[in-house]
Amino acid sequence: MSTKRWPSVSGRRLDVLAIALVGLLALGFFNPIFRVDATFSDVAGHQTVMFPWAAHPNGFTDAFPQSDQADAFHPWQVLINRALDNGTLPFWNRYSFAGAPFMTNGAGGGLYPPKLLLSTLVSPSWVHDLFLLSHVFLSGALMYLLLRELGARLLGSLLAAVAWMFSSHTFGWLQLEYIAAIAVALPAGLACVHRAFRLRSLWWALGAGLVLGICSFQSVMVTLLVFPTVLGYAAANGLCDLVGWYRSRDPVRFRFGVTAPLVALGATMGTAALVFVPTALMAADAGREPLPYEDVVRNFDVPADAFLTALWPSSEAVSADLLHELVFVGTATALLALIGTISRRPGSALGVVLAVGTFLVTIGTPVTWAAYSFVPGFEHFRPLGRALFLWSFAVALLGGLGFDTLHHLAMRRRSRAGALAVSAIGIAAIATTAVQLMSYGRQLNPPFQPRDDAFLYPETEAVQALYRDREHRSPAEVQRVLPLRRDYGELPWRVPVLWGGVAAAIDVESISGYESIVPNRTVTMIRVLAGEDPDHALDVPHYGAFIPSYFASITRYDLLPRLGVTTIYAPPDIAEDPWWRPQRLPIRLKRIYAGPDGQIFDLTGIQPGAYIVHRVERVETGRAALRRFADRAFDYRRVVILEPDEAKKAQIPPTNESHDAVEAPARVVEIGTNSESYEVEAAEPGWMVISGMWDRGWRARVNGEETSVLRANFNLRAVRVPAGTSRVELEYRPYGLDAGFGITATTLLLVPAIALGRRRRRRQVS
């Protein structure tokens, strides 16, 4: 392998100018965020198809394929900013599903250093814009450096950079942010690996691992497809070294061929452990089942003819289907990639393998089955078109190498006219690629929208009614909203209320939400609340991200008090639903607001967020616990349901014949981002039951002494309390976070320690 050094000083200046041009192109696309203070977001459009904001049209329309940014990523960012303002990190999301883990949801990115830094400095909309701008620039700059590392000249490297940073797949999914981390991690990791083997440097192998590990903090999607690609490239280079050792018996090649891939793998997993360990533990208990392979290839593959658009972008209107078929990276890039496939340049084999492999995986072939069967986590990956970023990367890489091959041939002929002609072709290819991709990127996304509170989930009359009502609640209550939907029967889909995870954006707790990874029991309990039979919810698996709907016709209203729901938020025309008969419900409601943006009803009486019970009902299985909790006759204010493992933790339970009256609710002292504090008054020893979801990460102290947080009533929390007045403090820390932090910290400390050790040894030898 070549060990040639980087270009001369003049060559480096050209590199700086090329990277500066990449930066100017990125600024050119995102210039409205500075010029007219607009945001690259879909919130303004999406809020027009959701109450309460649908009652106040703002001139924008929803861009459905990118609406996850408005449903999830923007509310998550508001949650991150709010937590940091309070001096902590948001490990727990109390705004969704009566509570759910946040840092381990696979996509929030709250620990990703660039996002964390931006979140401490600017508002959520600015975090989104600056995060994307910086990562688009970095993706182009790093792709340029990768091509230079592979030996390509300036113009070929610049063409690949432009094609990659503005690829249709990247910009089709850019609103969802995870693709931005992928766009940076892939070229950076590959460049480090190639440089490691070229220079026989384990430090660059470590660098590849650090890049991959840190980028994985943003999204598990990085670990799913980028890790195997980069680490596979390291393994392939190592195998080449082993073959070379077999022929030459050079021990250096043998040692490095074995060591470098292992170092890259160890650094990757060690750095990623901070997020990977708790997320993996969380995913193991998630309520998201893998889709059967037959369904994946039947319903989520990419049509083979979609790859014809690699030469010219599709003229179809933006749709969910189109987003999963985006393969365009510029006409010139695609044509030059054909030359790149037959060139014998460093990196061409990588490009060919990625292009062919991605094609075979996404169209549904035996290679798809191999990926489904052997790539960890791939059984949850769908639609398969989300993997097309690897195709875009491969074509951009091959396009740059293809042009460089032409340039090389022209230089060999020693014809100044030929060299100038090829250079002109390269400049034209770069310019046309930039124009094509930037204009297509604008076409794929909603227009830039005003960065104004009125366009970012503002306070409407209904939201203000929720806030006003909050002031009149008892200290025992924590307001939790159920967003109800009208059942339109055969009529088309209509506007929902507080859809997805938007409740976090307006600081309102919801029993709904939108998450990729949700604990299995939380999903099951929510499905029962939404109207499913307990056995059906347990037996029929849930696929995909979880975003429940509560219809007026089937929602289990009798379970609302048991889950701490205090408020129902319904669309303004809910009275037209034939199933909506408040007088016939098993609960009593008081309407506190009615307007064009919805109707709000309070459950009458106190719906405590925490309360004391003195009787235990033991059940043998989780199924029995769910059936009993969902039983309409279950007296949740007097009895707590415990399964065998939890009953063992309970130590000495009160007898069933003890005090049986309903106690006063626990008084809420403070509800923090990851903590809760209560004061309770119990006539006898008992349990404080909290109407929030349980997770292994919860810890409790009663009057300063640590105690267990029991999983009660199938999936709620319970804490043993003594007679008299007690203060109960709960704190949440993701299960596995400490172990992951220890591994990551050790990894990050070992790198400089080893470097210093080697430097000292070199000085001693000299």
Side-chain angles (χ1 to χ4, degrees):
M1 186 174 289
S2 172
T3 58
K4 68 178 182 180
R5 298 185 180 277
W6 279 90
S8 63
V9 173
S10 59
R12 291 179 182 176
R13 288 175 179 170
L14 289 176
D15 288 335
V16 171
L17 290 175
I19 292 174
L21 177 60
V22 167
L24 289 175
L25 289 173
L27 285 172
F29 185 91
F30 286 97
N31 79 88
I33 69 174
F34 303 107
R35 182 169 51 85
V36 293
D37 196 21
T39 178
F40 186 66
S41 170
D42 183 40
V43 173
H46 191 60
Q47 72 184 39
T48 63
V49 296
M50 180 195 324
F51 287 117
W53 303 283
H56 306 281
N58 58 23
F60 290 95
T61 57
D62 184 35
F64 165 68
Q66 287 92 3
S67 59
D68 276 4
Q69 189 267 331
D71 282 331
F73 286 88
H74 177 74
W76 288 342
Q77 188 58 55
V78 173
L79 174 62
I80 293 170
N81 279 50
R82 187 182 294 132
L84 291 174
D85 288 344
N86 292 327
T88 188
L89 292 168
F91 296 129
W92 185 254
N93 181 1
R94 63 187 175 90
Y95 299 101
S96 294
F97 308 125
F102 176 65
M103 286 296 188
T104 54
N105 69 355
L111 290 176
Y112 184 46
K115 177 172 284 190
L116 197 58
L117 175 62
L118 288 171
S119 300
T120 63
L121 300 175
V122 295
S123 66
S125 66
W126 271 110
V127 172
H128 176 71
D129 292 335
L130 295 178
F131 176 82
L132 297 183
L133 167 61
S134 61
H135 280 65
V136 167
F137 161 67
L138 286 173
S139 68
L142 290 165
M143 188 65 164
Y144 175 85
L145 294 176
L146 170 62
L147 269 289
R148 296 292 275 165
E149 170 62 31
L150 293 172
R153 294 171 177 80
L154 185 144
L155 292 179
S157 302
L158 193 55
L159 174 64
V162 172
W164 172 237
M165 68 189 288
F166 292 118
S167 75
S168 62
H169 187 276
T170 295
F171 267 77
W173 291 95
L174 195 60
Q175 293 278 2
L176 276 59
E177 297 184 0
Y178 77 83
I179 194 66
I182 287 175
V184 168
L186 191 53
L190 291 171
C192 288
V193 167
H194 189 273
R195 194 167 178 80
F197 279 90
R198 182 170 66 83
L199 301 178
R200 293 286 184 264
S201 170
L202 290 179
W203 300 115
W204 285 101
L206 280 171
L210 293 175
V211 166
L212 294 181
I214 291 174
C215 286
S216 72
F217 289 8
Q218 170 60 31
S219 172
V220 295
M221 294 285 279
V222 176
T223 69
L224 187 60
L225 291 177
V226 178
F227 278 20
T229 301
V230 176
L231 297 177
Y233 185 57
N237 277 273
L239 182 61
C240 290
D241 268 5
L242 293 179
V243 172
W245 164 80
Y246 181 78
R247 293 174 177 174
S248 65
R249 299 296 174 178
D250 180 359
V252 174
R253 300 195 72 171
F254 177 83
R255 288 197 300 269
F256 197 83
V258 172
T259 305
L262 293 177
V263 167
L265 174 63
T268 297
M269 302 310 294
T271 307
L274 175 61
V275 171
F276 182 77
V277 171
T279 300
L281 292 171
M282 167 74 176
D285 189 40
R288 180 172 181 169
E289 293 294 322
L291 201 67
Y293 175 72
E294 294 74 16
D295 289 345
V296 171
V297 295
R298 182 170 59 247
N299 299 319
F300 297 102
D301 61 334
V302 178
D305 59 3
F307 288 86
L308 296 176
T309 59
L311 290 171
W312 194 261
S314 172
S315 58
E316 297 178 21
V318 180
S319 65
D321 288 339
L322 178 63
L323 279 190
H324 298 110
E325 300 172 5
L326 293 173
V327 296
F328 182 64
V329 289
T331 303
T333 308
L335 292 174
L336 289 167
L338 297 175
I339 300 174
T341 59
I342 59 175
S343 67
R344 301 186 64 183
R345 307 292 304 279
S348 61
L350 170 65
V352 171
V353 169
L354 282 180
V356 174
T358 305
F359 174 77
L360 293 175
V361 166
T362 54
I363 66 172
T365 67
V367 180
T368 313
W369 176 85
Y372 180 90
S373 302
F374 300 110
V375 176
F378 195 85
E379 67 274 15
H380 293 280
F381 185 78
R382 59 186 184 275
L384 296 177
R386 291 196 178 190
L388 289 175
F389 70 87
L390 292 173
W391 166 274
S392 298
F393 178 84
V395 175
L397 175 66
L398 291 170
L401 294 176
F403 174 79
D404 199 66
T405 299
L406 289 180
H407 199 180
H408 177 71
L409 292 174
M411 296 296 291
R412 285 183 60 182
R413 292 180 178 272
R414 300 181 181 276
S415 168
R416 175 171 293 187
L420 290 175
V422 172
S423 296
I425 291 172
I427 294 172
I430 293 168
T432 57
T433 299
V435 171
Q436 277 187 318
L437 292 177
M438 292 173 71
S439 61
Y440 194 46
R442 289 282 179 92
Q443 178 183 332
L444 289 171
N445 285 278
F448 285 82
Q449 301 167 2
R451 193 190 314 279
D452 184 275
D453 290 344
F455 298 89
L456 294 167
Y457 296 133
E459 292 184 11
T460 69
E461 294 85 348
V463 175
Q464 291 171 356
L466 290 173
Y467 293 161
R468 286 198 301 270
D469 185 58
R470 182 183 298 177
E471 298 174 0
H472 299 294
R473 291 184 176 276
S474 160
E477 296 179 274
V478 175
Q479 185 184 36
R480 184 169 294 144
V481 176
L482 180 136
L484 198 65
R485 294 187 66 175
R486 179 185 164 190
D487 193 339
Y488 290 92
E490 299 299 324
L491 294 178
W493 182 87
R494 295 298 180 89
V495 178
V497 172
L498 290 183
W499 181 247
V502 300
I506 59 172
D507 195 18
V508 171
E509 291 191 23
S510 174
I511 198 69
S512 186
Y514 184 15
E515 295 282 0
S516 295
I517 303 177
V518 187
N520 186 43
R521 290 206 178 200
T522 298
V523 170
T524 302
M525 185 168 274
I526 295 298
R527 289 172 64 184
V528 172
L529 175 63
E532 290 189 47
D533 177 78
D535 289 318
H536 183 272
L538 288 166
D539 294 336
V540 177
H542 164 71
Y543 302 108
F546 189 52
I547 181 167
S549 292
Y550 298 100
F551 288 97
S553 55
I554 57 175
T555 296
R556 285 285 305 274
Y557 299 98
D558 58 309
L559 297 182
L560 298 185
R562 305 178 195 184
L563 292 172
V565 174
T566 61
T567 306
I568 294 176
Y569 191 165
D573 60 349
I574 186 64
E576 299 176 22
D577 189 323
W579 295 97
W580 177 248
R581 294 292 181 267
Q583 65 276 15
R584 299 179 184 176
L585 297 180
I587 54 175
R588 292 291 174 263
L589 300 177
K590 176 185 177 183
R591 189 168 66 183
I592 63 170
Y593 174 81
D597 51 355
Q599 298 191 44
I600 300 176
F601 302 86
D602 257 359
L603 278 67
T604 58
I606 293 178
Q607 311 303 324
Y611 50 92
I612 304 299
V613 301
H614 296 277
R615 295 176 57 194
V616 174
E617 183 173 331
R618 298 171 182 263
V619 296
E620 294 302 318
T621 64
R623 183 180 297 271
L626 181 60
R627 285 174 174 172
R628 184 68 179 119
F629 180 76
D631 188 338
R632 298 182 189 276
F634 175 62
D635 192 349
Y636 76 101
R637 290 299 304 273
R638 288 183 169 85
V639 182
V640 63
I641 304 166
L642 294 181
E643 297 165 49
D645 290 344
E646 305 304 309
K648 290 179 182 178
K649 299 177 188 176
Q651 298 177 352
I652 305 173
T655 63
N656 288 351
E657 291 76 22
S658 64
H659 181 70
D660 195 37
V662 174
E663 294 268 18
R667 189 176 73 85
V668 177
V669 177
E670 182 180 8
I671 300 293
T673 304
N674 310 305
S675 61
E676 301 173 5
S677 297
Y678 303 88
E679 284 187 357
V680 299
E681 183 74 32
E684 297 179 11
W687 284 268
M688 184 183 77
V689 179
I690 302 165
S691 56
M693 295 298 175
W694 179 89
D695 186 81
R696 286 185 292 182
W698 281 104
R699 298 292 181 266
R701 290 187 301 274
V702 178
N703 298 326
E705 296 185 7
E706 291 190 8
T707 188
S708 299
V709 179
L710 306 178
R711 184 171 61 193
N713 292 353
F714 185 72
N715 200 51
L716 301 184
R717 286 175 262 148
V719 177
R720 179 132 161 76
V721 295
T725 302
S726 299
R727 184 182 179 94
V728 181
E729 298 172 319
L730 291 93
E731 185 173 2
Y732 180 77
R733 193 174 182 86
Y735 183 69
L737 180 68
D738 292 341
F741 176 78
I743 296 171
T744 297
T746 301
T747 302
L748 297 178
L749 289 173
L750 278 177
V751 173
I754 295 173
L756 290 174
R758 289 191 64 178
R759 179 175 294 181
R760 288 177 180 175
R761 285 196 297 271
R762 288 176 180 173
R763 288 179 177 177
Q764 291 173 357
V765 171
S766 61

